[in-house]
Amino acid sequence: MTRTGHQMLTRRGFCLCCVAATSFTASGAWLTPRQAFAQAKNIVDMIREHAATDPIKVTKLRGNVSVLEGSGGNIAVLTGADGKLLVDAGITASKPRILEALAGLGKDPITRLINTHWHFDHTDGNEWLHQNGAVILAHENTRKHLQSAQRVDEWDFNFPASPPGAIPTEVMTADRTLKANGSTLELKYYGPAHTDSDISVRFAEADVLHTGDTFWNGVYPFIDYSTGGGIKGTIAAAEANVAAAGDKTIVIPGHGPISDRAGLVAFRDMLVAIHAKVAALKAKGLSLEQVTAERPTAAFDEKWGQFVIGPAFFTRLVYEGA
Ligand SMILES: [Zn+2]
């Protein structure tokens, strides 16, 4: 991939750039994800390689809430006398740069980590953060998926069980409210959505909402059917996010730049429109190949289809659960 292309993608807050490059053949046709990922050795190694050098961008959002971008999924940080609380852990290879970024936000120790879901690009750093003092909290399905080996079919990848220090020791099964650093944190379980383990974290006083991977700002999202995700649940989560956001809410997506209520509405509308088209074609008995040939995502591809999840891949993810 060209340096310019790489910079463009990392600026957008992703580090899956090699996958994007290899998903497009010389003729312009999309490879299946399996072909693309096979060509790109494997996605996990690539993400780790990028995290080993990619810079971490720190942005203060509102009150004592900041965001770190550049290591897997976006990381929220709440600072104060109770110690630093992180939402999502990023990639282990970013540890020196994450520590530097955290030090720039104050001297308080790291005391808590919340995982929005089990995926590697949100939990890889769990073990070192725990070793540095973080008690880890997540939905019970996140703990379940981290405790044992997981296969993600669409990535053609088998994840081993996580080491003991990376496993959340506090789990939630229903919605939960925490107090830390003078803030009220509202943790809500979406039900099956991007996976079966997704939660949102809302910093009530600062009015900042971290959606995890139920929202990818500006690009088609991945949906992990291997661990309980689906398009209908993804749409339900998108509706819940719109309902939870007000005009002043700052929204931290799982991937992509910081957003707002209008960004959530655009994402929801895109999902609803594409699902309606794909579901109608599938109901007529069309095969995946026939539906893909109809280009049901065409109206959205210029804005949303420029990254890892291209038009054909996203059509497949929608078709599977339509
Ligand atoms: Zn994810």
Side-chain angles (χ1 to χ4, degrees):
M1 172 167 243
T2 64
R3 179 138 191 87
T4 311
H6 181 204
Q7 284 169 342
M8 183 186 78
L9 289 165
T10 53
R11 240 195 346 261
R12 294 174 70 175
F14 299 86
C15 57
L16 309 178
C17 52
C18 294
V19 180
T22 54
S23 301
F24 228 34
T25 64
S27 65
W30 285 93
L31 298 174
T32 67
R34 193 168 296 244
Q35 289 170 320
F37 293 138
Q39 280 198 1
K41 52 182 184 179
N42 78 63
I43 190 171
V44 175
D45 287 344
M46 281 189 308
I47 292 173
R48 286 198 168 116
E49 278 173 22
H50 281 285
T53 55
D54 281 352
I56 300 295
K57 180 181 158 201
V58 185
T59 309
K60 292 195 175 186
L61 296 178
R62 190 185 286 147
N64 48 351
V65 182
S66 300
V67 65
L68 311 187
E69 298 170 78
S71 178
N74 291 323
I75 300 170
V77 185
L78 176 75
T79 56
D82 297 331
K84 292 182 181 117
L85 178 150
L86 275 65
V87 179
D88 282 347
I91 307 296
T92 304
S94 304
K95 177 181 171 184
R97 282 162 301 285
I98 288 176
L99 279 171
E100 193 184 339
L102 291 174
L105 293 172
K107 288 193 166 59
D108 305 306
I110 300 164
T111 53
R112 266 189 180 275
L113 168 64
I114 298 169
N115 292 137
T116 60
H117 63 297
W118 79 271
H119 277 157
F120 157 85
D121 48 334
H122 304 256
T123 60
D124 191 52
N126 275 20
E127 186 179 32
W128 81 259
L129 283 163
H130 174 69
Q131 285 164 355
N132 278 254
V135 174
I136 306 174
L137 185 155
H139 188 268
E140 64 173 349
N141 290 340
T142 293
R143 179 161 75 177
K144 186 181 80 183
H145 293 310
L146 293 178
Q147 271 176 331
S148 58
Q150 302 293 319
R151 174 169 179 76
V152 176
D153 288 332
E154 296 287 355
W155 295 1
D156 195 17
F157 196 86
N158 296 300
F159 290 89
S162 295
I167 308 295
T169 53
E170 283 185 39
V171 293
M172 53 183 275
T173 52
D175 294 349
R176 189 164 165 185
T177 301
L178 299 178
K179 294 272 187 186
N181 294 323
S183 289
T184 310
L185 280 73
E186 298 162 0
L187 281 56
K188 282 194 165 26
Y189 178 52
Y190 288 103
H194 166 73
T195 66
D196 65 4
S197 64
D198 306 288
I199 61 168
S200 61
V201 180
R202 177 183 173 79
F203 301 94
E205 292 80 1
D207 196 6
V208 175
L209 175 68
H210 194 318
T211 63
D213 277 2
T214 66
F215 175 37
W216 295 43
N217 186 14
V219 294
Y220 291 137
F222 180 58
I223 298 170
D224 185 359
Y225 288 86
S226 295
T227 54
I231 180 61
K232 287 174 184 162
T234 296
I235 290 172
E239 298 282 10
N241 287 335
V242 170
D247 289 342
K248 300 224 162 50
T249 305
I250 296 172
V251 181
I252 304 175
H255 298 278
I258 300 308
S259 188
D260 54 16
R261 188 174 191 281
L264 291 172
V265 169
F267 182 74
R268 187 267 319 266
D269 290 349
M270 176 274 292
L271 294 175
V272 167
I274 291 176
H275 175 256
K277 283 198 171 186
V278 171
L281 294 168
K282 188 176 178 181
K284 282 195 215 165
L286 270 65
S287 68
L288 171 61
E289 289 66 30
Q290 290 169 321
V291 171
T292 305
E294 295 279 328
R295 302 189 63 227
T297 65
F300 298 94
D301 290 344
E302 192 179 339
K303 177 176 178 188
W304 301 89
Q306 306 296 325
F307 196 59
V308 177
I309 313 297
F313 189 174
F314 189 58
T315 300
R316 190 150 72 95
L317 291 174
V318 175
Y319 184 91
E320 185 165 350

